[in-house]
Amino acid sequence: MMMDKKEYGLMDILRIPFQCAPVAAILVAAQLLLNGLVPTLQIVVTARFIDSALIVVRDQADISLIYPSMLAVVALIAFTWISRQLAKLVQVRLELAIRERFRTALVVKRAKLAYKHIENNETWNLISRVSKTPETQMTTAYTDLLSLVAKAIRIGGILTLLFTQVWWAALVIIVISIPLFALAIKSGKATYQANREVSKHKRKYEYLSEVLTGREAVDERSMFGYSDRVNQIWSHQYETARRIEYKTEKKWFIKMKTGSVLTALLSFLIILVLLGPVLSGAMTIGMFISLVNAVFGLVQMMSWDLTSNMDQLAKHREYLIDLSSFSKLEEEEGAIAVPVAPAPVFESLEFRNVSFKYPGTDKKILDGLSLRITAGMHYAFVGINGAGKTTITKLITGLYTNYEGEIRLNGKNLSEYSQGELKAFYSVVYQDFAQYFITMKDNIAVGDVNGLPDKAANRRIQNAIDNVGLSYVEATLPQGKETPLGKIREGGQDVSGGEWQRIAMARAILNPAPLRILDEPTAALDPLSESKLYEEFEQISRDKTTLFISHRLGSTQLADEIFVIGDGRVIEQGSHTKLIGLGGVYARMYESQRSWYQ
């Protein structure tokens, strides 16, 4: 199943479940629609049962007269109870199927999105709303829509019976119901729109909730005792969201239930009117009792259940509007493509007067940047925080394409490469590198997806472990490199921050890409540990081209060429010795940090 770029409407509420699980969708539909027909049948058979019972009580007929209608009543009650229990099971199967196919389609769409949408707050809120619980959303929308149809069948049947007895009463109920339904639709829209605003605050308080209760922050919570202060911020965000929801719900609840009271008063009037035909003998006592019961049920359903369904359906419609917007978000062609194999040969990378500013901002992060990188050399990018060092890696790897100037890879414009080709050139260790709660072996293996089926993969993974100094960690883990990391899985083991960093390094080393980039992955280490780790990485990357990005200068002496970035361009360039001799920006930065490395 794939996401279509289109306007999603009510028909998609039916289409998506049928596309994901046709059998389960048909069974759910059959159960709900039959339940809409059963109440009308119950009125008829109940009326016959009561009338038959009265005749038997008056000794005007044998007791056997009551059996057919009694069995019919029992059968309808049994069907209603059994079908509801079976429907719960089928709905669970339907939701699981939608989770498997529809959620997967949303995940694929998210993976294809242009990188700018990930860093944009508004689009990320949209993505969060659409993809948080899509299987529950679509299953509920499907059952709500069918429940609405079932209730329409039920209402139609009851009103038909009522029409045959007091025709004008049926018409009055229909007329009064129309504004109730209109209010329900407006209520649903208003509630979902309020949810759009709430989602901004919800993301914040859910994050803070994890900070207050999650396992990751438990040490610092205990050490610094910041829980009270963070709890105040959490409470403010939670209360803001709650007040928005409460204000919206209260407003529409009062409006809708005022109309429901009028409908309830009408039902008493209808019952009084029905007394006339009963007393005159035009209507049987059984039919009167059944209709009275049905009218009260009808009022209950139209005042609460039906308007609630309409309210929910309006919310689902707003979700479909969000889904439509999500489906139309710009994608990056080839975003989910795996790196091409074998890895290409790297020759050169050149920036020619490149300028760049992030979408939605006016400040240029890069402003006329020009530089050249050639194969087999080790480079370092240095500069203060915010100078644009990480931005350079985002442009190199094709995450952003809206730059001015030229970026040429092996003499060819970067835009001429497919995503699969670009990915094959680079192996990157980011500052916020991922920590996967899977086995140590798999944590490293994902660095080379093309090599996963390779019979030599185990040997190559072991070499990567040995090269980055993780052998001692492997030896201490209960199942060696097959041990799950983290505490999610049974038997999972924690490792230190420095060990996670070495695992990320091993992942990069396993990757056969010719150009290796380290984007401040050691920022959490002390300067001496950082220098040692960079030195080890340089030793095992001698046949590769490497880019070290850092605002600390412990690794720069390993570089053949250093680019000092400032004001969006290269302000100094050369070897460590040359730049020290210049006595410029680099020399001053190095002098200020000299004590860290001695």
Side-chain angles (χ1 to χ4, degrees):
M1 182 179 181
M2 300 297 292
M3 284 286 299
D4 298 320
K5 295 181 181 179
K6 62 171 221 173
E7 291 292 332
Y8 284 81
L10 291 178
M11 287 306 298
D12 291 293
I13 293 178
L14 299 175
R15 180 184 64 83
I16 291 172
F18 269 88
Q19 195 173 349
C20 294
V23 175
I26 290 171
L27 290 175
V28 170
Q31 186 270 334
L32 289 171
L33 295 179
L34 284 173
N35 274 349
L37 184 61
V38 164
T40 304
L41 297 176
Q42 282 181 324
I43 293 173
V44 175
V45 298
T46 301
R48 290 182 180 175
F49 172 74
I50 294 172
D51 290 335
S52 299
L54 289 174
I55 293 172
V56 171
V57 169
R58 293 168 184 163
D59 293 327
Q60 295 178 0
D62 187 72
I63 195 171
S64 60
L65 180 66
I66 205 174
Y67 293 157
S69 55
M70 183 175 67
L71 289 174
V73 170
V74 172
L76 289 174
I77 293 173
F79 169 79
T80 301
W81 186 86
I82 294 172
S83 67
R84 284 176 182 170
Q85 301 308 311
L86 292 176
K88 292 178 182 178
L89 174 62
V90 177
Q91 286 179 26
V92 169
R93 294 181 65 87
L94 178 62
E95 184 170 329
L96 290 174
I98 293 174
R99 177 179 299 170
E100 180 181 349
R101 301 195 62 190
F102 182 59
R103 177 183 276 275
T104 300
L106 292 181
V107 170
V108 171
K109 171 68 181 180
R110 285 180 62 167
K112 290 181 177 179
L113 289 178
Y115 190 72
K116 64 182 180 181
H117 295 308
I118 306 301
E119 294 195 333
N120 181 283
N121 188 53
E122 290 300 317
T123 53
W124 190 249
N125 280 329
L126 170 67
I127 293 165
S128 298
R129 289 196 304 270
V130 168
S131 56
K132 186 173 184 180
T133 54
E135 61 279 354
T136 302
Q137 184 76 45
M138 291 310 301
T139 303
T140 305
Y142 180 69
T143 55
D144 282 347
L145 180 59
L146 290 174
S147 293
L148 190 63
V149 175
K151 286 181 175 66
I153 294 172
R154 178 178 175 180
I155 291 169
I158 294 172
L159 289 178
T160 299
L161 289 176
L162 187 59
F163 190 85
T164 61
Q165 307 298 325
V166 186
W167 64 270
W168 60 266
L171 292 178
V172 170
I173 288 179
I174 293 172
V175 170
I176 288 181
S177 300
I178 292 173
L180 280 178
F181 299 156
L183 277 174
I185 293 172
K186 289 183 179 180
S187 168
K189 288 183 178 180
T191 302
Y192 193 87
Q193 287 166 0
N195 288 340
R196 288 195 177 109
E197 181 65 25
V198 165
S199 68
K200 300 174 185 178
H201 301 282
K202 193 172 183 179
R203 280 179 56 204
K204 295 175 184 177
Y205 75 66
E206 285 180 345
Y207 165 73
L208 293 173
S209 179
E210 179 61 25
V211 171
L212 287 167
T213 62
R215 185 173 176 273
E216 294 298 321
V218 64
D219 294 337
E220 291 197 2
R221 282 201 309 272
S222 301
M223 176 65 68
F224 298 118
Y226 57 65
S227 295
D228 288 345
R229 175 57 183 154
V230 174
N231 191 55
Q232 290 174 11
I233 302 172
W234 174 90
S235 180
H236 172 72
Q237 295 294 336
Y238 181 83
E239 278 299 305
T240 301
R242 186 192 64 79
R243 283 194 296 268
I244 293 171
E245 288 182 310
Y246 173 74
K247 184 178 179 181
T248 305
E249 293 282 357
K250 178 182 176 182
K251 172 184 175 182
W252 292 102
F253 180 87
I254 293 172
K255 287 185 177 182
M256 290 173 60
K257 298 320 165 189
T258 299
S260 298
V261 170
L262 295 176
T263 308
L265 293 174
L266 174 65
S267 66
F268 284 105
L269 177 61
I270 292 171
I271 291 167
L272 290 174
V273 171
L274 289 176
L275 285 173
V278 175
L279 296 175
S280 66
M283 180 189 299
T284 66
I285 295 175
M287 181 58 73
F288 171 76
I289 294 173
S290 296
L291 275 177
V292 167
N293 187 53
V295 166
F296 277 119
L298 186 65
V299 171
Q300 166 71 18
M301 183 173 62
M302 295 179 72
S303 300
W304 297 91
D305 299 347
L306 193 59
T307 51
S308 175
N309 271 130
M310 296 292 288
D311 178 90
Q312 290 299 317
L313 201 59
K315 292 180 185 178
H316 300 321
R317 180 71 185 94
E318 294 300 307
Y319 174 81
L320 293 173
I321 292 173
D322 273 353
L323 187 62
S324 301
S325 300
F326 172 73
S327 73
K328 295 173 185 175
L329 290 178
E330 180 187 351
E331 297 179 6
E332 185 68 50
E333 185 176 352
I336 60 175
V338 298
V340 298
V345 175
F346 173 72
E347 298 170 1
S348 66
L349 176 67
E350 185 176 7
F351 278 61
R352 296 180 180 177
N353 197 33
V354 173
S355 296
F356 173 79
K357 56 185 178 182
Y358 285 100
T361 65
D362 296 323
K363 180 184 177 182
K364 284 189 176 181
I365 303 300
L366 303 180
D367 190 6
L369 177 75
S370 295
L371 57 85
R372 181 177 174 82
I373 293 167
T374 56
M377 302 277 283
H378 299 313
Y379 296 87
F381 289 83
V382 301
I384 63 173
N385 288 332
K389 305 184 298 297
T390 296
T391 299
I392 292 172
T393 69
K394 291 180 179 180
L395 298 186
I396 289 174
T397 54
L399 293 179
Y400 282 104
T401 58
N402 57 317
Y403 54 84
E404 299 173 3
E406 282 188 280
I407 302 177
R408 302 188 72 82
L409 178 60
N410 287 354
K412 191 166 69 170
N413 200 302
L414 203 68
S415 61
E416 297 179 35
Y417 289 91
S418 69
Q419 283 293 313
E421 290 171 331
L422 276 181
K423 291 174 184 178
F425 274 100
Y426 310 114
S427 173
V428 187
V429 184
Y430 294 102
Q431 180 176 346
D432 54 348
F433 56 85
Q435 299 179 13
Y436 302 110
F437 292 154
I438 52 180
T439 66
M440 178 181 175
K441 173 185 172 182
D442 290 340
N443 256 285
I444 298 170
V446 296
D448 181 18
V449 293
N450 290 317
L452 290 178
D454 188 353
K455 292 182 179 179
N458 274 336
R459 176 177 53 79
R460 293 172 57 238
I461 291 170
Q462 189 61 54
N463 287 340
I465 289 173
D466 296 338
N467 285 335
V468 298
L470 280 172
S471 301
Y472 76 96
V473 177
E474 180 186 10
T476 60
L477 294 173
Q479 302 173 55
K481 59 178 174 286
E482 299 290 348
T483 304
L485 301 182
K487 289 293 188 180
I488 289 180
R489 293 171 57 183
E490 185 177 350
Q493 296 290 312
D494 278 329
V495 295
S496 70
E499 289 163 352
W500 272 117
Q501 287 166 330
R502 289 182 180 273
I503 289 170
M505 293 283 193
R507 194 154 55 227
I509 289 170
L510 187 71
N511 192 313
L515 184 57
R516 290 177 176 168
I517 303 173
L518 275 72
D519 184 5
E520 300 198 71
T522 58
L525 295 180
D526 64 83
L528 291 176
S529 298
E530 178 190 44
S531 295
K532 185 175 186 300
L533 196 59
Y534 274 129
E535 186 175 344
E536 292 172 349
F537 191 81
E538 189 270 342
Q539 293 274 338
I540 56 183
S541 298
R542 290 191 179 279
D543 60 333
K544 305 286 184 180
T545 305
T546 59
L547 305 181
F548 296 151
I549 296 175
S550 180
H551 65 280
R552 301 195 306 200
L553 308 186
S555 61
T556 54
Q557 297 182 59
L558 304 172
D560 301 307
E561 190 85 0
I562 301 167
F563 297 104
V564 182
I565 309 299
D567 298 323
R569 58 173 64 92
V570 176
I571 56 176
E572 291 181 1
Q573 177 181 346
S575 66
H576 173 74
T577 303
K578 177 183 175 180
L579 293 178
I580 290 294
L582 287 176
V585 174
Y586 178 84
R588 290 194 296 272
M589 290 177 64
Y590 187 80
E591 187 62 31
S592 69
Q593 298 179 17
R594 180 190 295 274
S595 61
W596 297 356
Y597 306 102
Q598 293 179 341

